[in-house]
Amino acid sequence: MMTRRALITGITGQDGSYLAEHLLGLGYEVHGLVRRVAMEDQEQRLGRIAHLLDRIVLHPATMESYASIFRVIAQQDYDECYHLAAQSFVAESFEDGFSTMNTNINGTHYLLAALRELQPRCRFYFAGSSEMFGKVRETPQRETTPFYPRSPYGISKVTGFELTRNYREAYGMFCCSGILFNHEGPRRGMQFVTRKITRTVARIKLGLATELRLGNLDAKRDWGHAADYVRAMHLMLQQPAPDDYVVASGESHTVREFCDLAFAEAGLDYRDFVKADERFLRPAEVDCLLGDPRKAREVLGWRPKYTFRELVAEMVQADLARLTH
Ligand code: GDD
């Protein structure tokens, strides 16, 4: 069989790094789009893929420029394109909705338009999000649940989702969206609540911090492990026909429960350290997310390997190990 070639936008992020590893393991030739500054500052910006650099090909481009994306797509053919690049921090999208919209909506549109122009047979994956369900219309959320986004980020993802569907229907392209619920792991960025918790737990345990300041402890999320979720992305593009899929664990937990387990993993009681801080509250909150992964299970044969407890334990242990070595 011919080696398949995949292009990943957002390859330097948590999901991009796990997906690159997964595709390399399957024998793919893996390419990534990265900002030019990242190529010039590899130590700081390519940390998550440092161990893969001799096995992948990086191309400088920015999701803000159609010309830069067009140039990369024009250089060679790809079998599959995974569009993961985005401004993905919900709280930041309230601070600067314009740049979130610009990068997330136009970036997706540029990439789809360039593929349509140059490689309409390339299979395309769009990283949709459970944030699109926002103020949820039904529980659990599934592929048919109406969207009700609650942040500029959520709105940008709904638009990206609609663009992806429209390219599928209007131009007959193989375009899929994964509606991924929260997915975490030791490579998660520090600003997201899970990593903020596990890193601070490790710092407290080692005497480097004395408290953890958080916003809404009652928010509920359906959390899984990113290494599991990237397998679903790949499976979507191997199906006979393009479609959209919810990817979730099917379990929901509060931020408080995450804290409880994470502190306990280090032999601590979260009630002694967690402080409420309204600076971390959002202007509009998504209170409760719970996904129904039945379609992904039945059609893709996808099943997560990690339990919630294993996810929390791995993240705490990884942060403890990082700070002690
Ligand atoms: N980040 C953060 N920091 N969140 C906090 C804090 C805090 O100090 N305190 C409470 N939270 C709550 C947030 O209000 C939210 O309800 C929940 O913890 C999770 O926040 P994040 O980890 O920032 O993730 P998110 O759910 O907003 O978004 C993530 O998941 C989406 C999929 O549902 C991101 O990865 C998105 O890019 C992704 O699409």
Side-chain angles (χ1 to χ4, degrees):
M1 201 164 133
M2 296 252 294
T3 303
R4 282 178 294 173
R5 187 181 293 141
L7 178 65
I8 304 174
T9 76
I11 195 170
T12 61
Q14 170 188 254
D15 294 4
S17 67
Y18 282 119
L19 179 63
E21 271 170 19
H22 181 56
L23 295 180
L24 286 169
L26 294 171
Y28 276 72
E29 183 181 314
V30 175
H31 294 239
L33 276 191
V34 295
R35 290 177 203 271
R36 192 171 289 282
V37 286
M39 310 259 277
E40 284 156 9
D41 184 11
Q42 302 208 353
E43 208 166 302
Q44 283 294 319
R45 299 186 189 240
L46 302 186
R48 292 189 184 93
I49 51 169
H51 60 299
L52 306 175
L53 286 177
D54 54 349
R55 292 192 283 152
I56 59 180
V57 184
L58 297 179
H59 305 272
T62 158
M63 297 317 297
E64 274 98 47
S65 153
Y66 179 69
S68 75
I69 293 168
F70 189 92
R71 207 174 302 129
V72 174
I73 308 279
Q75 278 166 12
Q76 60 199 314
D77 287 346
Y78 294 97
D79 300 291
E80 296 168 14
C81 174
Y82 296 86
H83 177 37
L84 313 183
Q87 193 303 96
S88 64
F89 186 34
V90 175
E92 165 62 24
S93 82
F94 283 110
E95 298 294 318
D96 184 356
F98 292 97
S99 65
T100 300
M101 295 279 187
N102 190 25
T103 308
N104 295 5
I105 298 176
N106 291 339
T108 304
H109 199 181
Y110 296 155
L111 190 54
L112 281 165
L115 286 171
R116 179 192 167 211
E117 189 72 21
L118 299 164
Q119 301 186 37
R121 294 167 66 83
C122 175
R123 295 186 169 204
F124 179 80
Y125 171 86
F126 172 67
S129 160
S130 52
E131 277 291 303
M132 301 191 299
F133 296 124
K135 190 170 175 180
V136 297
R137 306 284 87 190
E138 66 174 342
T139 295
Q141 296 82 52
R142 43 194 177 152
E143 291 79 7
T144 50
T145 303
F147 297 140
Y148 193 139
R150 294 267 280 171
S151 64
Y153 169 80
I155 296 166
S156 77
K157 285 290 176 181
V158 170
T159 309
F161 177 91
E162 298 294 358
L163 278 165
T164 303
R165 179 156 62 190
N166 192 239
Y167 269 69
R168 175 165 82 218
E169 293 176 359
Y171 309 119
M173 289 168 61
F174 196 109
C175 297
C176 300
S177 288
I179 305 174
L180 268 56
F181 282 64
N182 297 49
H183 43 287
E184 320 291 317
R187 299 181 195 170
R188 190 56 147 149
M190 308 284 183
Q191 72 270 47
F192 299 96
V193 78
T194 56
R195 186 72 199 288
K196 180 174 170 182
I197 295 168
T198 61
R199 169 134 173 118
T200 309
V201 164
R203 287 174 54 81
I204 291 172
K205 180 73 182 173
L206 299 170
L208 302 169
T210 53
E211 63 176 23
L212 169 59
R213 304 190 81 86
L214 292 174
N216 181 8
L217 289 174
D218 298 314
K220 293 180 95 171
R221 287 292 181 277
D222 178 327
W223 276 297
H225 197 296
D228 278 334
Y229 286 38
V230 299
R231 288 191 287 108
M233 299 177 186
H234 173 257
L235 287 169
M236 285 177 217
L237 297 197
Q238 314 314 309
Q239 301 309 306
D243 206 346
D244 306 318
Y245 299 86
V246 159
V247 182
S249 75
E251 266 181 42
S252 191
H253 299 273
T254 59
V255 172
R256 190 186 308 280
E257 282 175 75
F258 194 104
C259 286
D260 188 8
L261 281 182
F263 277 90
E265 178 70 22
L268 304 169
D269 185 335
Y270 82 96
R271 289 169 297 190
D272 297 334
F273 304 99
V274 173
K275 305 267 167 358
D277 188 333
E278 58 185 36
R279 281 181 305 151
F280 299 109
L281 296 176
R282 295 174 182 180
E285 173 68 300
V286 170
D287 298 314
C288 178
L289 291 174
L290 173 64
D292 177 355
R294 236 176 320 172
K295 182 174 169 186
R297 194 163 52 221
E298 284 164 15
V299 180
L300 304 177
W302 176 81
R303 266 179 194 71
K305 293 181 182 153
Y306 280 84
T307 64
F308 179 62
R309 278 176 178 277
E310 287 166 348
L311 166 72
V312 179
E314 183 186 304
M315 290 181 71
V316 171
Q317 292 303 337
D319 274 319
L320 282 167
R322 272 198 198 102
L323 289 174
T324 37
H325 293 124

